[in-house]
Amino acid sequence: MNRDVFITCAVTGSGQSHKKSDLVPVTPKQIAEACIEAANAGAAIAHVHVRDPQTGAPSRDPALYREVVERVRSSGTDVVLNLTAGMGGDIVLGSAEAPLPLSPQSDLIGASERLVHVEELLPEICTLDCGTMNFAEADYVMTNTPGTLRAMAARIQAAGVRPEIEVFDTGHLWLAKTLVDEGLIDDPVMIQLCMGIPYGAPADPNSLMAMVNNIPPGWVYSMFSIGRMQLPYVAQAALAGGNVRVGLEDNIWLDKGVLARNGDLVERAATILNAMGCRILGPQEVRDKLKLTRR
C-alpha cells in the first residue's frame, strides 16, 4: 500500500462530457479556474486539455493552452501543470466497408506539431500516450506508433519536461519499457494506468495487478478508471501502491444523480485517502519526488 499519495485532477478531457454536464469547463478561463479549484481542494497536479470556446469540441490550439497556463501561473496558485500531448493522433475510418478515404473527423499530425504548446509553454509534465488502440467508437483508432512516440519522447526530453506515460493496456507498458531502455525517457519514470476504457485494459483488479506487477522498481505510477469506477479506484490505487487521478475528464458524477465539480471529486478522493490513513502530498513534494522543473 502507498501511504504517501498525490492526486491528479484531469479537469476537462476531450470527449463529449460537456454535452452531459454544464459543470465541465470549456473556455480557457473556466479550465484555468477548474485547475485552481482542484488545487485548492488538494490536487497536486492539474491535467489539462483545451476545447473550442464556442462549441466545446476538443482543440489543440496553442493559444488556448497559453491562456490557460498564463491564468493559472498568474493566479499564485501552486499546482503542477500537466498538458496533454495526445491530440493529433486520431484516425476515423470512412466506414467498415470503405475505410478510405478517412473521415473528415480524423486529426492526424506529426510529432513536432503535437508538441508545439509543450515546447512553447514548458509545463512541468506532459502526457505521452504509449500505444495505439481501438477507442470505443466504431471506426476510431487512437494512433501512436513506435516511431512517432520515439520522436515525441526525444523532443520532450530535450525540452526538460517530464513525460507522464499513459498506459491503456499491457502492450503499452512493454513499449514504455522499450523507450526507457533506449534512453528516451529519464528517471524517475512516471506512468498513468488508464483502466476501463473500451477497448483497453478492463477495470477489474486482476487486469490492474497484471500491469502493476510488471512495473519496474523505482517507477512512479498513478491509476484511474472511468465513470462510476472512478471513486472506488481511489482506494484501489493506494492499495496497489500507486497514486490517484480523478476529475471531469473521466467521470461527471459525484453520487448517483449528482453532477460533480472537479473540486468535489478531489475532496471526495482526499476523504477516502485520509480515511485509509494516507498522507496527501502537496505540489512541492511531488516536484521533489519526480524531479520536476518549475517554470
Side-chain angles (χ1 to χ4, degrees):
M1 179 173 171
N2 181 18
R3 295 190 180 273
D4 295 303
V5 181
F6 63 78
I7 300 173
T8 296
C9 185
V11 298
T12 189
S14 60
Q16 299 299 306
S17 55
H18 66 294
K19 296 181 178 179
K20 302 173 184 177
S21 171
D22 59 7
L23 299 179
V24 174
V26 171
T27 68
K29 181 175 184 292
Q30 291 170 342
I31 294 168
E33 289 172 347
C35 294
I36 295 165
E37 174 190 302
N40 289 337
I45 302 173
H47 173 53
V48 178
H49 289 248
V50 293
R51 295 174 178 269
D52 183 304
Q54 303 302 318
T55 66
S59 176
R60 49 184 173 78
D61 183 348
L64 298 176
Y65 281 105
R66 187 183 314 114
E67 183 177 349
V68 172
V69 169
E70 288 176 351
R71 283 180 178 274
V72 174
R73 287 175 173 167
S74 66
S75 73
T77 301
D78 190 12
V79 64
V80 175
L81 285 174
N82 174 353
L83 303 186
T84 186
M87 303 294 294
D90 302 328
I91 288 179
V92 182
L93 302 182
S95 70
E97 294 297 335
L100 296 177
L102 297 178
S103 166
Q105 294 174 294
S106 297
D107 181 29
L108 193 63
I109 57 175
S112 300
E113 191 174 353
R114 287 176 69 168
L115 292 169
V116 167
H117 61 298
V118 173
E119 293 176 325
E120 175 190 344
L121 300 169
L122 297 177
E124 294 173 79
I125 302 171
C126 73
T127 61
L128 187 67
D129 294 348
C130 213
T132 295
M133 63 179 281
N134 295 323
F135 207 97
E137 289 87 352
D139 295 306
Y140 167 46
V141 181
M142 181 182 75
T143 308
N144 299 285
T145 67
T148 297
L149 291 171
R150 286 186 173 95
M152 291 180 68
R155 296 187 75 96
I156 293 167
Q157 187 180 57
V161 175
R162 175 75 58 203
E164 179 194 64
I165 306 169
E166 295 205 341
V167 171
F168 295 80
D169 215 337
T170 51
H172 299 180
L173 182 57
W174 182 4
L175 181 50
K177 292 178 183 179
T178 300
L179 297 178
V180 173
D181 290 343
E182 292 174 355
L184 292 168
I185 296 175
D186 299 322
D187 289 331
V189 180
M190 178 187 185
I191 68 172
Q192 183 76 252
L193 301 180
C194 311
M195 308 297 295
I197 299 166
Y199 294 96
D204 62 81
N206 287 337
S207 297
L208 173 68
M209 294 310 299
M211 291 203 284
V212 168
N213 291 334
N214 278 285
I215 295 174
W219 288 23
V220 178
Y221 57 97
S222 295
M223 62 192 70
F224 71 92
S225 188
I226 61 174
R228 63 181 181 179
M229 289 300 293
Q230 182 181 84
L231 291 171
Y233 250 70
V234 172
Q236 179 72 71
L239 288 169
N243 299 283
V244 167
R245 169 169 145 175
V246 293
L248 294 182
E249 175 173 351
D250 309 311
N251 164 49
I252 62 173
W253 302 102
L254 183 65
D255 292 302
K256 187 174 182 179
V258 180
L259 291 170
R261 297 181 182 275
N262 282 293
D264 297 331
L265 293 169
V266 175
E267 287 177 1
R268 180 67 61 84
T271 297
I272 294 168
L273 293 169
N274 286 329
M276 295 173 68
C278 298
R279 186 174 71 90
I280 298 171
L281 301 183
Q284 189 54 51
E285 291 176 295
V286 171
R287 291 187 185 100
D288 294 341
K289 185 180 184 72
L290 295 172
K291 298 181 182 178
L292 303 178
T293 301
R294 185 180 187 184
R295 276 93 175 190

